[in-house]
Amino acid sequence: MVYNGTNVDYTEPKQLAALSYHSGTIHTVRFSNSNKYLASGADDKIVCIYYLDPTPPTHTTFGSNEQPPVENWRIFRRLIGHENDVQDLGWSCDASILVSVGLDSRVVVWSGHTFEKLKTLSNHGSHVKGITFDPANKYFATASDDRTIKIFRYTPPAPNSTAYDQTNNFMIEATISSPFITSPLTTYFRRCSWSPDGNHIAAANAVNGPISTAAVINRGTWDSDISLIGHEAPVEVCSFSPRIFSNTPDEQLDPNEVKGSKGVTVIACAGQDRSLSIWNTVNSKPLVVNEGVCLKSISDLAWAPDGERLFITGLDGTIALVKFGQGELGYPVPLEYNESSLAKYGAGRKVGVVEGPDGLLLEERSKSDELRNVQGRMGELMGDGGSSKPNGAGKMSTINGSVHDGGKNQDMDVSKLTNGHAPGADVSRAQTPQPVGEDANATRVERLKQRVTITKDGRKRVAPLLVSSAAGTTESSLPTSQLMSHSSQVQRNDAPQNVLDLSKPYDGLPKGGLASLLLGGKRKLAETGSEDDNSIRQRNEAAERQGATSLMMDTAEGLTTATSTFAQSHFTTPQSVLNPSLMLSRIRLATPLIRTHIVRPLGNGVRQSEPLESDQPGANGGQNHVFEVRNPSGATRTGRAGDRDPARITVTKRGQMLWQDFLPKPVVLVTGNERFWAASCDDGSVFVWTPAGRRLFNAFVLEAQVVILDCRGPWLLAVSAVGLCHVWDIASSSSPHPPISLAPVLDVAALSQGPHLTVGPSIIFARLNSEGRVIVAMSNGDAFTYSQAMYTWQRVSEAWWAVGSQYWNSSESAKTIQSTNKATDDEHDDEVRIENISAGVISLLERNTTSYTLLRGRAYFLQRLIKALLSAEGYEGLESGISVAHLENRLAAALTLGAKDEFKIYLGMYAKRLGAEGSRLKIEELLRSLLAGVYTENDTSTLTDSSRAYMGGPSDELCGWKKHALLKEVVLILGKYRDLQRTTLPYARLLGITSIEKDDAEMES
């Protein structure tokens, strides 16, 4: 309609609709790239979302003679998330997210499907005034008055994504400040723009010395070596034309010209000098400069989809249109060239064709599950107790309290209806439906709603209840990251919602971990300083030439000839101080000091000096037992240094002694649970008692002093000073594997050939899970577990995933590692769900990696390497490959650890990523593995081969789950991807997912 604004003969309506839903000045309006929604932001701090209703408007304002609007635009959502003016909005290229920025220095990310707030980014230090999206859908950039542009890397979220799902999404990729160091703060906007080929960002309000310019920032390196100089005042808005141009007409276009990065992009700049300049990427001077376009500053620019018409708005209310003739900007190339230029950045996947009616049913079933999850979460947002089925889920429907079942008179359960009764039912006699499960918080809110108060004049009134106060009576129903404190909490709580499936040792290791020393294999002779050193060397060399082997002693200074005097003095040392195995081992771990008094309560981290509250775990059910050790101190009773008093062990319950025992050696470490007690002495022996005080075994005599003693359920762990790790099953009087050495996890393979003592990585913790698996975390950020089936150490977490994976949550610190020692939950409460996945063992190990690598700067050079490779030729798929490999690493770790709940969550994430990547071979292999053992080979001979079942083998269970349930969940996740339906449809038919009758039966149930 704007094209005919000056045409007096034009009689069609010039205004399609007028929307008045804001209470302040509107600063920005943006259409979604799907053309489904319209978003607007204003200084009333609200973002409004509109949609076009296909039905025509039925009436206008009463008493008004105005004509009804041509198009019926309706308000869809009001998004409240800013505390000051909303300055700019931006939609992602696939319309999956909407980002709003404002004067409150916040960048708020909203879901483009549910418009739920996914994340709030507070990385800027001042007003944020511009936002632009990468056309390859990998980054978005925000411009702020803190004189920086920040690049955020993100992965497009799924339609049913939650705020918790995006905890590790939207991370800062780079901060650009060099072109804006002295930029003025007088501009009202800093609207930036991304080029259609994805190579450049045009940034407003830049400076080149004292001159106001627009900066062109290069992708990948994020540096700026080009300045567009031509404005006399600060530039407030830059806008790239959405089309790529060529210097030759379309019929004469060489396809390699654009594919070879020779395409031309066009930039429009405007600002406070009220002038418009048009530039392209091949000329150093502007194509055109138009002065005095508006009477005041130009506030925004928008190109038409054809790339040859430009709309201009000014602060004086001007809306202008600039039209360019054919060839003035160049010749637009077909849109396929845009996609080919973005393909190197991972963009441009096309939607496949549906594979028949079964494929369409599978796709609808997959999307309906996602929709059901979204509606359930929206119900939580609106305060509903639970999610409801979507419309049409059942065969019966309720309309204003009446039930319509297609004319069939059947008995119906009135209690299942939302707000109505069956036709013909007596409403006055209707019974109030009772909920299946009583909710204490909901009951409390209901009582508050019905609270009666007495006014000053004696009248009774029902006290009103604010929605915010009702919501504040309980914790939020939405998932919250464990390391993000609630607004209502004064003190931050870093403990996970549930107890980790991991032991909680009472005796913590020293700060920085348990130190280790590694002895090199190529050691030199010790420098004794005596005159006969050369004669000793010559005698040893002569003996070696005759085939003999010299006997050498390995000392801290080096190798020394094993003389009789040295050997005698060496072996006269008591065994409790130095075990002979220390002479052979290449590992030394720091040993704990002998304490005179050791107290170990049976509760989880409740010390004896702390009173046990009646509501604490450990206060009821006989949990408040105390294991106490008193080692000898002071002078001996006989006068001889070797005659020491025995260590006295007592177990008390509420101050009364249950049993007592004595050990001949001082006790170093103790542990215990409801099944047994254990203690280790300074001579390397370990003793085990039943809860009643009966000794279960003879003393376990280890090769060296125990430095870590831990237990979990029936399992007992002991780590000796020479790095050997022992695990025993006390219930069955057995061990799952022989003693294993910590040498591989201490990097002995890389350091064993050194000539001297080397300080190895420290052990942050070594614990057991409920399956008896040993889990070790190191100070270099690595974490390991020992596979009882493969008889080898497996690396679970490392800095490589922390730097390169999109699924790594770098915002979580290792404080939760310490807080789990203070947790007071029951050990059996190990349920891990998607909203508290940070309570899982794998997440704990990854937080340790974050704390000891990213937060301490030890991964700085690795981060630089990854960033350089992301923009290097030949490494376009590096980030995606690392992310998929990280999910595969998580799956393998959960399978090895027997982490049932974590395995299912990570399997769903892995299936979603494979579907988004279109990895057909990996998906087919995954489905074959899940199908193995579920059906006989005669039923699935064309689908499965038992020799290719890589997970779980031919068993019908995998990590505690039935493979049938896991396979069904994976097929439903992959069902919405049409280009994969040739692979997923046979499995869907086998599972009966595409059966309409079965779907109806499941919906009814």
Side-chain angles (χ1 to χ4, degrees), residues 460-536:
K460 294 183 179 180
R461 292 289 185 269
V462 177
L465 178 66
L466 295 177
V467 177
S468 58
S469 63
T473 57
T474 180
E475 294 183 358
S476 173
S477 60
L478 295 178
T480 306
S481 177
Q482 304 308 311
L483 298 178
M484 296 176 62
S485 59
H486 297 284
S487 58
S488 59
Q489 292 178 341
V490 178
Q491 184 177 2
R492 178 173 177 174
N493 181 18
D494 290 331
Q497 294 178 4
N498 295 73
V499 180
L500 291 170
D501 184 14
L502 207 62
S503 58
K504 306 169 197 61
Y506 176 78
D507 294 304
L509 298 182
K511 185 177 182 181
L514 190 68
S516 64
L517 286 177
L518 306 178
L519 279 68
K522 296 182 178 179
R523 309 206 67 198
K524 299 179 180 179
L525 290 174
E527 298 293 338
T528 60
S530 58
E531 297 179 356
D532 57 347
D533 280 348
N534 293 330
S535 60
I536 295 175

Side-chain angles (χ1 to χ4, degrees), residues 884-895:
V884 174
H886 181 212
L887 290 178
E888 294 170 349
N889 182 78
R890 283 179 169 179
L891 269 180
L895 192 60

Side-chain angles (χ1 to χ4, degrees), residues 15 74 103 166 195 246 270 340 352 365 426 523 563 582 585 588 601 670 687 708 727 755 761 811 878 880-881 892 913:
Q15 179 176 288
R74 294 181 177 271
L103 299 184
Q166 307 306 314
S195 63
S246 174
S340 62
R365 180 72 182 275
D426 188 358
R523 309 206 67 198
T563 61
L582 293 176
S585 174
R588 301 291 188 275
V670 299
F687 297 85
I708 297 177
V727 179
S811 63
L878 176 67
S880 176
R913 185 57 186 251

Side-chain angles (χ1 to χ4, degrees), residues 725-743:
C725 188
H726 301 260
V727 179
W728 301 286
D729 186 355
I730 303 301
S732 62
S733 303
S734 62
S735 177
H737 49 73
I740 50 177
S741 176
L742 292 175

